[in-house]
Amino acid sequence: MKTLFDATILNGLSLKNRFIRAAVGEKTADGTVNEHILGVYRELSKGGAGALITGFTLVDETERLYPIFALYNDTFIEDHKKLTTLVHESGVNIISQLVYVGSWVIGGRHGEVLLAPSAVKHLRSNATPREASVGEIKTIQRKFAEAALRAKKAGHDGVEIHAAHWFFLSQFLTPYYNRRADHYGGSIENRARMLVETYEAIREAVGANFPVWVKINVNDGFDMGVSLEDCLYAGRELSKRGIDAIEISGDWMERPENSGPFFGNEAEALATETGVSIILTGGNRDFKNMTEILNSTGIAYFGLARPLMKEPNLINRFFENANNSLEPV
Ligand SMILES: Cc1cc2nc3c(=O)[nH]c(=O)nc-3n(C[C@H](O)[C@H](O)[C@H](O)COP(=O)(O)O)c2cc1C
């Protein structure tokens, strides 16, 4: 029987258990790793999870007004070394999550040029973007690759491409947001191209042995959203090219917090169809339930975000009580 505290090697990365802190964006004034952030990660790194995925991190300076981590130039490398050194002191892995925000501008940034696959108003931010040209698409792919290399230089143990939650990359997969008539829109072969090419650019920059993960939506929660078949296609294409893990997410904000896991069936299908290591994120609250999923599906890892915000030490508590049946938290 598999247990949540099995030590595993996820394509080269040694993990002391199957718990992963899912990304939580850390608002900082200027993208830097400040004392407050270090305090948050110090606590998380001692809390028991095998790996921490950072909050989303900007790859492009033109999005610099967004108050989150950044790796869009070399000056951030030293800054991130403080973070990776601190987390490594606890024997924990840290994965840098990379994002191009596009039109999902929280708080709005009116008057700025916002790019998206198509000029479709964002359902959450209400911002209306401009369709990205092929030249701009190629530039953004290069920015992801450069930021990934900086993450590697800064000591991160891997990167995760943020292609979920209706940010720029996620929108390419979603028919509602992607109305393009060129080879980045239309069929799933075309809609997946942006993600696949971004992955390829990153892989070329960081080399074969550096972990590259991706987070995708399997369910957008609105009409003309991404379908499971779309995700299976994207997963298979990424698998062929050596992606190391796929984290499964979707319309988590619409779900009652303790009603999960939200995307278990889709994650199981991805595990079966792609053979890639799958991280199931969203609504994981019950130790027994996660153990059952682990032993009855191909899902191998469990991402937790809000539970660790409330109780950074939760995984240690699970460990101490692993033989007891725990109540859902
Ligand atoms: C405050 C907050 C910030 C978040 N920031 C990110 C982020 O930067 N990147 C990301 O992929 N998901 C982000 N998420 C989503 C989580 O990673 C996760 O997918 C979601 O919270 C569902 O998991 P949970 O039920 O364990 O909280 C955030 C969630 C919260 C509550």
Side-chain angles (χ1 to χ4, degrees):
M1 180 175 149
K2 291 185 269 187
T3 84
L4 294 166
F5 288 99
D6 293 337
T8 60
I9 297 183
L10 204 181
N11 297 350
L13 195 68
S14 296
L15 295 168
K16 63 183 175 185
N17 57 48
R18 299 177 183 275
F19 292 107
I20 292 171
R21 195 297 287 249
V24 170
E26 302 292 354
K27 293 204 170 120
T28 65
D30 52 5
T32 60
V33 177
N34 57 32
E35 283 306 314
H36 168 74
I37 299 287
L38 289 173
V40 170
Y41 279 82
R42 185 174 292 112
E43 234 188 337
L44 283 168
S45 65
K46 293 181 190 306
L52 311 178
I53 301 173
T54 69
F56 53 177
T57 302
L58 293 177
V59 302
D60 188 334
E61 187 167 11
T62 63
E63 300 198 301
R64 67 188 176 283
L65 294 181
Y66 220 77
I68 55 176
F69 283 156
L71 275 169
Y72 52 70
N73 68 43
D74 287 352
T75 62
F76 293 104
I77 294 176
E78 285 308 309
D79 206 42
H80 275 249
K81 275 186 188 165
K82 289 187 275 183
L83 183 63
T84 58
T85 304
L86 176 142
V87 172
H88 289 156
E89 278 166 10
S90 300
V92 174
N93 297 294
I94 179 162
I95 307 292
S96 174
Q97 189 191 58
L98 304 178
V99 72
Y100 186 90
V101 173
S103 59
W104 191 179
V105 278
I106 296 165
R109 272 169 38 204
H110 300 291
E112 308 241 346
V113 176
L114 303 174
L115 298 180
S118 305
V120 176
K121 190 159 133 180
H122 198 286
L123 290 171
R124 288 176 183 271
S125 70
N126 282 326
T128 303
R130 173 169 74 64
E131 176 172 312
S133 68
V134 171
E136 285 163 335
I137 282 176
K138 292 288 168 197
T139 301
I140 291 167
Q141 291 172 357
R142 179 170 52 77
K143 301 260 178 189
F144 267 98
E146 289 168 356
L149 186 56
R150 289 186 196 107
K152 184 179 180 185
K153 287 182 179 166
H156 284 285
D157 300 290
V159 291
E160 181 179 75
I161 305 167
H162 194 352
H165 304 168
W166 317 285
F167 291 101
F168 187 76
L169 289 182
S170 163
Q171 290 182 338
F172 273 83
L173 284 170
T174 295
Y176 179 81
Y177 284 122
N178 186 345
R179 317 266 176 105
R180 297 179 74 95
D182 64 5
H183 64 300
Y184 288 98
S187 66
I188 182 56
E189 289 79 4
N190 285 352
R191 281 181 286 120
R193 195 180 308 281
M194 178 62 182
L195 176 56
V196 169
E197 288 182 357
T198 302
Y199 166 74
E200 287 175 335
I202 290 176
R203 180 56 80 201
E204 198 183 331
V206 298
N209 298 324
F210 189 69
V212 182
W213 301 0
V214 65
K215 185 171 186 176
I216 58 167
N217 270 12
V218 290
N219 180 338
D220 285 323
F222 49 74
D223 287 347
M224 290 174 68
V226 73
S227 70
L228 179 58
E229 288 67 36
D230 291 343
C231 296
L232 292 173
Y233 175 84
R236 282 192 299 265
E237 292 304 306
L238 291 168
S239 171
K240 279 186 221 162
R241 292 164 175 80
I243 194 88
D244 294 300
I246 302 178
E247 184 183 2
I248 305 300
S249 192
D251 60 342
W252 64 274
M253 291 179 225
E254 312 302 331
R255 316 275 178 133
E257 193 178 328
N258 292 322
S259 67
F262 307 139
F263 314 111
N265 293 339
E266 294 91 338
E268 183 177 358
L270 263 288
T272 308
E273 288 264 335
T274 66
V276 177
S277 296
I278 297 294
I279 306 164
L280 172 62
T281 293
N284 292 317
R285 300 292 181 272
D286 184 318
F287 189 89
K288 271 206 303 194
N289 186 232
M290 285 183 271
T291 304
E292 273 164 31
I293 293 172
L294 178 65
N295 282 290
S296 58
T297 72
I299 297 165
Y301 298 95
F302 296 85
L304 290 87
R306 286 167 292 180
L308 298 187
M309 291 172 75
K310 291 178 193 138
E311 188 183 350
N313 199 43
L314 174 67
I315 309 305
N316 287 336
R317 183 161 71 78
F318 277 160
F319 185 67
E320 283 152 19
N321 296 286
N323 294 322
N324 304 324
S325 61
L326 281 179
E327 291 304 310
V329 290

